[in-house]
Amino acid sequence: GKLKRLLLSNNRLIKIPNTVYDLRALESLDISSNLIDLVPGNIRALTELSFLDISRNRLKALTLDIFCMPNLTSLDLSHNMLVRANYDAQTSAQLSENLKLLDMSYNRFPDIPSIVILLQGLEELDLSH
């Protein structure tokens, strides 16, 4: 498929539809304002994705695969229920160096998530509450 931009916000989705992972040309995905509580590791199949908005959902934990997407430059995880975003040695070797903007505001982090230290290309980080 040639679809480059997909907007699925405000659909009361409880998970990302499996068909989304087949849209290999996708560059922009907005799944904000839904009821999603998990982003599975197969999000990495979307290798062309540069913009991902998962704000205003019910995420409590993160798969670190989301930080390993090679072309992702903007990631919005704001207004969720995240309490941690830690890394392991295996993941840190694969972290994207292209992620420039990361919005993790309005979550439940007790301190600065350790993952942000390793994101080499990061230019803007929002952890406000």
Side-chain angles (χ1 to χ4, degrees), residues 92-103:
S92 61
Q94 303 165 29
L95 287 175
S96 170
E97 294 182 11
N98 292 320
L99 190 61
K100 306 252 182 280
L101 189 148
L102 176 57
D103 188 344

Side-chain angles (χ1 to χ4, degrees), residues 42-127:
N42 48 350
I43 191 82
R44 284 178 80 168
L46 301 176
T47 54
E48 299 304 312
L49 206 64
S50 63
F51 174 87
L52 179 56
D53 186 348
I54 316 177
S55 64
R56 299 182 189 281
N57 274 285
R58 295 185 175 172
L59 297 177
K60 292 186 178 124
L62 276 181
T63 171
L64 295 183
D65 293 287
I66 207 166
F67 296 106
C68 299
M69 300 172 70
N71 290 305
L72 196 65
T73 57
S74 177
L75 175 59
D76 191 344
L77 295 165
S78 65
H79 296 272
N80 275 288
M81 301 178 223
L82 295 168
V83 290
R84 72 178 165 276
N86 298 326
Y87 62 88
D88 54 54
Q90 186 179 358
T91 309
S92 61
Q94 303 165 29
L95 287 175
S96 170
E97 294 182 11
N98 292 320
L99 190 61
K100 306 252 182 280
L101 189 148
L102 176 57
D103 188 344
M104 296 173 101
S105 61
Y106 298 95
N107 276 286
R108 299 179 179 169
F109 296 113
D111 49 28
I112 295 175
S114 57
I115 190 79
V116 302
I117 297 159
L118 295 175
L119 294 169
Q120 306 270 321
L122 206 58
E123 294 176 3
E124 186 176 330
L125 171 65
D126 190 347
L127 289 169

Side-chain angles (χ1 to χ4, degrees), residues 4-76:
K4 296 203 179 294
R5 188 166 181 235
L6 179 59
L7 302 128
L8 289 172
S9 59
N10 294 295
N11 274 299
R12 303 189 61 77
L13 298 173
I14 55 170
K15 68 183 200 93
I16 301 171
N18 287 331
T19 50
V20 168
Y21 305 114
D22 296 328
L23 301 171
R24 300 300 165 99
L26 206 59
E27 295 173 3
S28 177
L29 176 59
D30 182 347
I31 47 175
S32 62
S33 301
N34 281 293
L35 306 169
I36 297 166
D37 61 2
L38 176 74
V39 178
N42 48 350
I43 191 82
R44 284 178 80 168
L46 301 176
T47 54
E48 299 304 312
L49 206 64
S50 63
F51 174 87
L52 179 56
D53 186 348
I54 316 177
S55 64
R56 299 182 189 281
N57 274 285
R58 295 185 175 172
L59 297 177
K60 292 186 178 124
L62 276 181
T63 171
L64 295 183
D65 293 287
I66 207 166
F67 296 106
C68 299
M69 300 172 70
N71 290 305
L72 196 65
T73 57
S74 177
L75 175 59
D76 191 344

